[in-house]
Amino acid sequence: MKNSSKYLFKSERLGFRNWNSSDIEKLHELNSDKEVMEFFPSIPSKSQTSEFVVRMIKQFEAKGFCYFAVDELVENKFIGFIGLSEQTYEAEFTPCIDIGWRIKKEFWNKGYATEGAKKCIEYAFNQLKLEKLCSIAPIINQKSIAIMTKIGMKMQLEFEHPLLKNDSRLKSCVVYSIENDTLTT
Ligand SMILES: CC(C)(COP(=O)(O)OP(=O)(O)OC[C@H]1O[C@@H](n2cnc3c(N)ncnc32)[C@H](O)[C@@H]1OP(=O)(O)O)[C@@H](O)C(=O)NCCC(=O)NCCS
C-alpha cells in the first residue's frame, strides 16, 4: 500500500491511521515504559494492550474516530497514539469525546503531541463535525496539561476521577475543553 493512501489524514510530520494487529507489539513496547506510564495506575499487560487495539479498531469502525495510531512520516516509524475516544464513566462532564496522547520517549519534546493534537481537533471539528472535545489528566501530569493549553483548550473543572478513587497520587484530575465554533447554530 502506498503511503499516500495509508493515512486517514496527515499533519506536517505525522500520519494518522487505524490500528492493525502488527501494532500490538509496538504499543506493548510503549506501554511497558515506566516513565511513559508514570501518570497511570498500572502498566498494561500484553493482553490488555491487545484488547485496547481491538477496542480502538471497533470504535473507529462505529464512530469514525479512535486514539489513532501515529507514524512519523519521514522515517515511517510508529511513535504512539494521538486521537479521540468516547468517555462514559460517571462524571459531571460525561459522556464526552476526549482527545488524548501517548508517545514513545525517544520522540518526546519535538512538538509531535502538540502538532498531532491540533490536527486531530481540526479533523474532529471540520470532518466529523463534533461539537466539543475534552481532555483529562491528573493534576500532577503538568506536561500533558501544557499540551492542552498549547492547543487552545480551556480549563473546565477539577474533579475526583471515579476510576482512580483509590489512587491518592492520581485521583485529583482536571478537564480541559474546546468547542467547535465553526458549527452554525
Ligand atoms: C505528554 C506527551 C504526549 C507530550 O508529548 P511531546 O510530543 O513530547 O509533546 P510536545 O513536544 O508537543 O510538547 C512538550 C511540551 O511539554 C513541555 N514540558 C516538558 N516537561 C514538562 C513538565 N514537566 N511540565 C510542564 N511542561 C513540560 C515541553 O517544554 C514542551 O513545551 P514547549 O514545546 O512549549 O516547550 C508525552 O510526554 C507522553 O507521551 N507522556 C506520557 C503519556 C501521558 O502522560 N499521556 C497523557 C495522559 S493524561
Side-chain angles (χ1 to χ4, degrees):
M1 193 187 283
K2 277 197 282 174
N3 265 1
S4 57
S5 58
K6 181 169 156 187
Y7 298 110
L8 199 59
F9 58 95
K10 292 178 189 173
S11 63
E12 198 186 328
R13 296 175 293 171
L14 307 171
F16 299 77
R17 59 177 175 79
N18 196 2
W19 298 83
N20 59 63
S21 54
S22 73
D23 293 316
I24 293 172
E25 196 52 54
K26 295 178 226 166
L27 183 60
H28 180 57
E29 191 192 322
L30 169 64
N31 282 347
S32 302
D33 184 329
K34 288 199 178 72
E35 215 180 315
V36 169
M37 300 308 286
E38 182 183 355
F39 302 111
F40 293 85
S42 58
I43 302 280
S45 65
K46 179 92 177 272
S47 69
Q48 284 171 325
T49 295
S50 183
E51 280 161 25
F52 171 92
V53 168
V54 170
R55 196 152 33 93
M56 289 301 119
I57 292 171
K58 284 192 178 149
Q59 186 177 222
F60 181 76
E61 283 165 1
K63 307 275 177 179
F65 59 78
C66 63
Y67 288 143
F68 301 111
V70 178
D71 299 326
E72 191 282 320
L73 292 170
V74 173
E75 305 269 339
N76 195 26
K77 277 189 178 159
F78 173 81
I79 68 159
F81 67 75
I82 306 171
L84 313 164
S85 190
E86 282 187 315
Q87 300 300 336
T88 54
Y89 52 79
E90 189 71 37
E92 222 176 293
F93 57 91
T94 56
C96 72
I97 298 168
D98 93 311
I99 179 160
W101 34 70
R102 187 178 303 165
I103 290 177
K104 283 177 91 173
K105 217 159 48 198
E106 65 188 280
F107 298 105
W108 284 7
N109 291 318
K110 295 176 190 289
Y112 286 152
T114 306
E115 175 182 319
K118 278 185 181 162
K119 202 69 196 179
C120 286
I121 292 178
E122 244 180 76
Y123 189 75
F125 287 173
N126 299 337
Q127 304 299 317
L128 303 171
K129 311 283 183 202
L130 300 180
E131 287 175 18
K132 184 177 176 179
L133 294 174
C134 61
S135 191
I136 298 114
I139 293 175
I140 56 167
N141 192 349
Q142 284 298 316
K143 204 162 35 163
S144 195
I145 293 169
I147 308 286
M148 297 173 196
T149 305
K150 280 202 287 180
I151 62 178
M153 302 186 94
K154 299 276 182 265
M155 161 90 165
Q156 192 178 327
L157 57 96
E158 273 185 46
F159 72 110
E160 183 172 294
H161 201 304
L163 306 178
L164 299 170
K165 269 201 166 105
N166 298 324
D167 194 320
S168 58
R169 192 176 68 95
L170 299 175
K171 68 181 178 186
S172 300
C173 289
V174 280
V175 190
Y176 275 61
S177 63
I178 186 165
E179 287 186 24
N180 188 350
D181 57 17
T182 67
L183 292 179
T184 48
T185 46

